[in-house]
Amino acid sequence: MAPRRPPPFVTHVLELMQPLGPVVARSMFGGWGLSLDGLTFALVAGEELYLKTDAQNRPTYEALGLPAFAPYEDQPERTMNYHRPPADALEDSDSLMVWVRPAFEVALRAPRKPKKK
């Protein structure tokens, strides 16, 4: 079975992220994981992009009232460490890179799980 092709929104986001490098989209859990060099730093659920956050960059998102990713519709209080960037960040690569680069840095800082043999 061939891998699922990304929908137009994911393809658009990948094009905007080209300055970061060869970002790859993987189908996962009904959405898409975006990664570079094997490190996932963004998610796409429906037509929404969410970028990886931690204690260093999360305050910027929270100060702007940008929502965290809540994967369970019936449990909106259960969120993950991914937040939506501002809507205008998706207008062009330069605008998006301001948000994407720190999200990739979060992925670089995150502890890595040992690979299974």
Side-chain angles (χ1 to χ4, degrees), residues 53-60 105-106 109:
T53 59
D54 66 6
Q56 288 186 33
N57 70 340
R58 187 178 309 111
T60 303
E105 290 169 8
V106 172
R109 285 192 296 270

Side-chain angles (χ1 to χ4, degrees), residues 7-14 16-17 28 30-34 41-52 61 65-71 73 82-90 96:
F9 179 75
V10 173
T11 301
H12 173 67
V13 169
L14 291 172
L16 292 176
M17 290 182 176
M28 55 191 290
W32 294 84
L34 306 183
F41 66 92
L43 304 174
V44 175
E47 297 277 316
E48 298 290 347
L49 172 66
Y50 294 88
L51 300 171
K52 194 167 186 70
Y61 290 84
L66 298 167
F69 178 57
E73 287 183 30
Y82 289 85
H83 282 71
R84 265 196 336 227
D88 63 356
L90 292 167
L96 188 57

